[in-house]
Amino acid sequence: MAQGDNGSSKSSSVTPYEEALDALSSLITKRTRVGDVNMEERFNVLYKYLKMLDLEEAISNMKIIHVAGTKGKGSTCTFTESILRNCGFRTGLFTSPHLIDIRERFRLDGVEISEEKFLVYFWWCYDRLKENTDDNVPMPTFFHFLALLAFKIFAAEQVDVSIMEVGLGGKYDATNVVPTPIVCGITSLGYDHMEILGNTLGEIAGEKAGIFKHRIPAFTVPQPDEAMHVLREKASQLNVPLQVVTPLDAKLLNGSRLALGGEHQYINAGLAIALCSTWLKMNGHLEDSYLKHIQHTLPEKFIKGLTTASLQGRAQIVPDQFINDEIPNELVFFLDGAHSPESMEACARWFSLAIKDQDQILFHQKLDNSNFSNQVVKMHNGETVQKKSTQILLFNCMSERNPQLLLPHLMKTCADHGVYFKKALFVPGLSVYHKVGSHALPATDSDVDLSWQLTLQRVWENLMQGNKEGKSNNSAPEELNMEMSASNCEHSAVFSSLPLVLKWLRDTVQQNQSTRFQVLVTGSIHLIGDMLKLVKK
């Protein structure tokens, strides 16, 4: 099908990049993630692909940091990459999922791979696999291909360090073909992907510990006893020196703040410091004596790495450029891809503190010499009136998740901080799961199935009925006009598409100019990506 240079063989209306994405989309299996798939068999086929791509020796020579876990994998990998890049090393970072563009999954020196390089490496791998696969050994699945592509990119680009984030689980994850990483990390464990990884924390921990290799040092963060017991047991079986890392002490940042928001990021930062320190030591860049002091004083390059790291969709604040050109700072999106009960709590804590921070900053701006004065007050008959803030929830989650676990954690944690949502909005994502690339987005939303969103709405309404105090949001406008929604209840509404939600929010801001709207978008990393595509247009 494709030619080795850019694979171009279709009409000129499809760009070479879109053509590559179409080829990639063909690898997305239509079956569900579970079922009769033998994980071990599917994993073992990866070694045949490595042979086809002539990557075996390259991978064994790579200086890899391998990270698994339930929560905080992407953040830990991002901190780790940023620290080592600031220490002067050429870095490769492989993470998942992407939010807007598939190339986000492959970062070279902190920047997503260019379209030109992506196309060269993509077709190099795709064509060789296409030539050598058959009915017995079919083309790799979507994520398996992406992991193989990452190894090819980092080997060809001769990075000093490759930071590889596990996609799912550990033992049978495509990244686990790494024979001898330099160091391994396990982030916070919790209940997620239980349909694949097991129903207990012990079973889940066992899958994650599948990345441990004989005598290779590993680090983890404080874990529930059941999970920690399994991690220690697996480490012992492989003679792995496993150490538990404490969260980073904020004082060590010398007055600066972590680049990624939320208290839980100090746990991830502590793990990243341990991974980087060990990687540096194992490669002859740090003395043992220096390592002993790293808990009490952080090198300047570590601080810079931790305070400048960037990761979209995790505790990200995005003011709406469209509406804020006319009425500055009146519509702000707080985006976090939380999708497990524990990460929902962390997200709710971050949001609750972030909106208070924002309100305080705006209120304390000096009126006489500040561009922000009209964000803080309106003048009515000469009187100064402080703006009211209203919180809106925009939520979707995949149907494998249990909203009865997610939404109560979110609601309760926000309520504990005195934050109540005026309205919860439920909407299906734009993403089509069997396609990648923006040219694959659906053109119409007329036939969208809203049954899952209506289920989410019922869960929320039931929670609100059982939580009467949540009804009172004194700072909210009297009534919001929900004409565009498919289903409007007392505390929530269902919309058939994200563009409709965005239009409704912008219209509502125009109609309530004495109110600042703070919208928490959460529940699904896909929803975050779709929202960013729309808001950043």
Side-chain angles (χ1 to χ4, degrees), residues 120-149:
V120 170
Y121 294 127
F122 175 86
W123 290 117
W124 191 94
C125 291
Y126 190 89
D127 289 347
R128 271 156 191 75
L129 290 168
K130 202 76 173 158
E131 284 162 20
N132 290 287
T133 49
D134 54 30
D135 289 345
N136 293 323
V137 182
M139 282 290 280
T141 56
F142 178 73
F143 185 78
H144 282 192
F145 180 86
L146 293 179
L148 294 163
L149 179 57

Side-chain angles (χ1 to χ4, degrees), residues 430-478:
L430 281 173
S431 298
V432 179
Y433 295 108
H434 57 275
K435 279 281 198 181
V436 283
S438 56
H439 68 297
L441 291 181
T444 174
D445 52 63
S446 56
D447 300 321
V448 174
D449 177 7
L450 295 175
S451 54
W452 176 243
Q453 282 66 44
L454 293 166
T455 299
L456 296 174
Q457 181 181 41
R458 277 195 300 278
V459 172
W460 184 263
E461 288 294 327
N462 289 339
L463 284 170
M464 290 297 285
Q465 292 307 325
N467 181 22
K468 297 295 182 190
E469 61 177 330
K471 285 186 176 181
S472 65
N473 183 347
N474 298 326
S475 64
E478 289 309 303

Side-chain angles (χ1 to χ4, degrees), residues 127-185:
D127 289 347
R128 271 156 191 75
L129 290 168
K130 202 76 173 158
E131 284 162 20
N132 290 287
T133 49
D134 54 30
D135 289 345
N136 293 323
V137 182
M139 282 290 280
T141 56
F142 178 73
F143 185 78
H144 282 192
F145 180 86
L146 293 179
L148 294 163
L149 179 57
F151 287 123
K152 172 62 184 174
I153 290 169
F154 298 155
E157 292 289 322
Q158 298 182 306
V159 299
D160 299 315
V161 55
S162 301
I163 299 113
M164 306 294 291
E165 178 194 345
V166 165
L168 179 63
K171 185 176 181 181
Y172 299 125
D173 185 74
T175 60
N176 204 30
V177 293
V178 177
T180 50
I182 301 293
V183 59
C184 297

